[in-house]
Amino acid sequence: MAKPLVQATGRRKSSVARVRLYSGSGEVKLNGRSLDNYFPHAALRQRVLEPLRAVEVEGQYDIVAQLHGGGTTGQSDALRLGIARALIEIDPELRPALKKEGLLT
C-alpha cells in the first residue's frame, strides 16, 4: 500500500485506535479485517463512519486501523475519534463542522 496521507490516534476508555487515511475509494480495514466483519452490528458501523459523513467525504479515503484494548463500543468510539483527528490533519477547516457534531471528544 502507498504512503498514508495522515496518521492519527483515537482513545476511549481502555481502547486505542491507530488510524491511517489513504486516498482511495472508501475501503475500511481494521486489524486486517473488513468493517462489516470486525463490527457486525450496523449501529457500530454507522458510528465509526460518522466523521466522514459529517464533512461529506465518504468514499474519498481508504482507512486502515489497528485497534486494541477494551470492548467493541470503546473500540468503535476510539476509531471514530481517530478518523475525525485524521480528517482535521488533512484539512484544518473541517474542525468546526466535526466539533459541532461532537466528534472530537
Side-chain angles (χ1 to χ4, degrees), residues 20-81:
R20 292 184 182 99
L21 257 56
Y22 300 85
S23 357
S25 59
E27 185 181 340
V28 181
K29 285 276 183 206
L30 310 172
N31 293 353
R33 294 161 50 190
S34 70
L35 179 66
D36 294 344
N37 187 306
Y38 198 86
F39 292 118
H41 297 288
L44 292 178
R45 290 193 301 268
Q46 293 285 327
R47 199 158 166 73
V48 163
L49 299 175
E50 257 183 284
L52 300 171
R53 264 188 241 101
V55 294
E56 298 173 0
V57 294
E58 213 170 5
Q60 292 182 24
Y61 299 105
D62 287 345
I63 299 167
V64 177
Q66 290 297 311
L67 300 151
H68 59 89
T72 54
T73 303
Q75 286 186 354
S76 67
D77 286 349
L79 179 58
R80 180 176 150 201
L81 177 58

